[in-house]
Amino acid sequence: MSARLMVLLNGSPVRGSSVDLLLEAAAEGAREAGGEAEVIRAYDLRAKACIACGPDATAGYCIFHDDMDPVYALLERAHAVIVGSPIYFDTVSAPLKLLIDRCNCITPLVTLADGRREMVPKWTRTRRAAFITVHERAGRYDMAERTVRGFLKWCGAKWEETLAWPHEDHETGSVPDDVLARARALGSRLTQSDPLQP
Ligand SMILES: Cc1cc2nc3c(=O)[nH]c(=O)nc-3n(C[C@H](O)[C@H](O)[C@H](O)COP(=O)(O)O)c2cc1C
């Protein structure tokens, strides 16, 4: 049997940033628990934005074929998903939002035999998931969390918790060790937990 796969979607543009370090810690936790971990950096993808192509556009995932193709394949195989992003104007970063929008096709609008149209998930909702975010103490993350939870639902995953680190400094990668330890524990826990019942 292959190892459980954790897919970590990284919405940070900055290598060594707090979001970056937290996701790496979660990936380490997943590996320590015997799983595999794949980090996808949204800023490295060359992918078109969703154009709302409408119902029954393709039997596959998307009408476009670009760097999102391997992302769909990894998410399909995933046992667990962690979305990580800095808060930019109260939500996730733009390249991560592009990736999220492109996953609309995992629960596409399809025309049924009787002519009605319905959102039909391609995958069962068995994946465990979490959100990791970093923001200024005066800011908020609830709107980003709402976006992430909607996305996870669309991809056969269920949000279980958010690890948010509000801070006051402006130093790259200043996230403290106790918060990194929480991210590592989160990665281990999601990997060790059995898949959800659909
Ligand atoms: C374009 C941009 C928009 C931002 N908007 C917000 C915001 O709305 N709320 C907030 O709390 N912080 C905001 N910030 C600050 C970042 O969330 C903060 O610097 C965070 O630490 C970035 O994560 P990192 O340290 O992992 O890079 C913004 C930063 C940038 C660059």
Side-chain angles (χ1 to χ4, degrees), residues 135-138 165-170:
H135 61 94
E136 295 190 357
R137 193 166 293 282
W165 184 54
H167 65 94
E168 276 164 356
D169 67 74
H170 295 281

Side-chain angles (χ1 to χ4, degrees), residues 123-139:
W123 306 336
T124 52
R125 201 169 176 205
T126 54
R127 297 162 189 77
R128 294 176 183 271
F131 179 38
I132 290 180
T133 187
V134 175
H135 61 94
E136 295 190 357
R137 193 166 293 282

Side-chain angles (χ1 to χ4, degrees), residues 26-68:
E28 275 170 28
R31 293 183 193 113
E32 279 162 13
E36 272 181 72
E38 286 277 351
V39 180
I40 296 166
R41 303 187 70 91
Y43 278 77
D44 288 350
L45 299 179
R46 291 170 63 90
K48 290 187 162 61
C50 174
I51 58 161
C53 56
D56 312 312
T58 166
Y61 290 122
C62 184
I63 57 167
F64 298 136
H65 292 286
D66 54 23
D67 286 356
M68 281 301 295

Side-chain angles (χ1 to χ4, degrees), residues 17-19 86-90 134-136 139-140 167:
S17 67
S18 294
V19 166
I87 299 297
Y88 287 172
F89 289 95
D90 293 328
V134 175
H135 61 94
E136 295 190 357
R140 53 192 287 186
H167 65 94

Side-chain angles (χ1 to χ4, degrees), residues 122-193:
K122 289 188 190 288
W123 306 336
T124 52
R125 201 169 176 205
T126 54
R127 297 162 189 77
R128 294 176 183 271
F131 179 38
I132 290 180
T133 187
V134 175
H135 61 94
E136 295 190 357
R137 193 166 293 282
R140 53 192 287 186
Y141 66 84
D142 56 318
M143 289 180 272
E145 184 185 82
R146 189 175 163 83
T147 298
V148 169
R149 288 180 66 166
F151 157 71
L152 291 168
K153 185 175 180 184
W154 235 238
C155 299
K158 191 165 190 309
W159 169 89
E160 295 189 359
E161 63 179 275
T162 292
L163 172 48
W165 184 54
H167 65 94
E168 276 164 356
D169 67 74
H170 295 281
E171 304 305 319
T172 300
S174 58
V175 60
D177 286 347
D178 63 311
V179 186
L180 289 169
R182 285 169 57 202
R184 189 173 293 110
L186 173 63
S188 292
R189 183 184 74 71
L190 292 177
T191 299
Q192 282 161 354
S193 303

